[in-house]
Every structure is written in C-alpha cells, then in structure tokens.
Amino acid sequence: MSYHLRIRLAAEVDVAEAAQWYNERQLGLGEKFIREVDEAIVRILENPLAFPIILQRHEVRRVLTKQFPASDLLLTEG
C-alpha cells in the first residue's frame, strides 16, 4: 500500500480561514494554528498508518492537531 500526500485546494482554504478566525480572537493564534497543521502533516508523512481509521471503505484516517482538537486532517489511501 502506497500513500501520497495531496492537499486539496479546499483544505488549504479551510486552514487559511480558520487561521484568520483564530487571529481575530487573539493575535498570533492563527500562526500557531498553521504551525500545528504543519506539524500534523509532518507526522502524517513520517507514519501514515499511525492514525485511526474512521471510514473503512476508503481507509480514511483522522489526524488531529495537538492544541486545536476540533481541527482534523483526513488521510486516504492512494
């Protein structure tokens, strides 16, 4: 099974909008959010099978950021 990282444009837009929302609440928090997402991406690249499957049919896995628990990234087999 081979995995490739592909970040869809819609996901990039979601992250940018979330970062803006966080910055409106507290200056600098949006940048911290983006760093968290970047760190989660590194974890995905290092070990894509380490994350729990949430949709068996397409092997979709959930990856959470550490300090922004409502934010998740989805990893699919491909």
Side-chain angles (χ1 to χ4, degrees), residues 21-57:
W21 185 87
Y22 281 118
N23 265 334
E24 290 170 0
R25 269 74 195 153
Q26 180 182 337
L27 189 60
L29 195 56
E31 288 80 10
K32 186 173 183 177
F33 171 73
I34 290 174
R35 282 193 303 274
E36 289 271 332
V37 169
D38 288 344
E39 289 172 9
I41 290 170
V42 168
R43 293 195 327 267
I44 291 168
L45 292 170
E46 290 175 345
N47 191 0
L49 300 180
F51 305 98
I53 294 174
I54 60 169
L55 183 60
Q56 188 70 38
R57 182 174 173 199

Side-chain angles (χ1 to χ4, degrees), residues 3 9 19 25 56 63 72-73:
Y3 291 87
L9 180 59
R25 269 74 195 153
Q56 188 70 38
V63 183
D72 58 354
L73 307 171

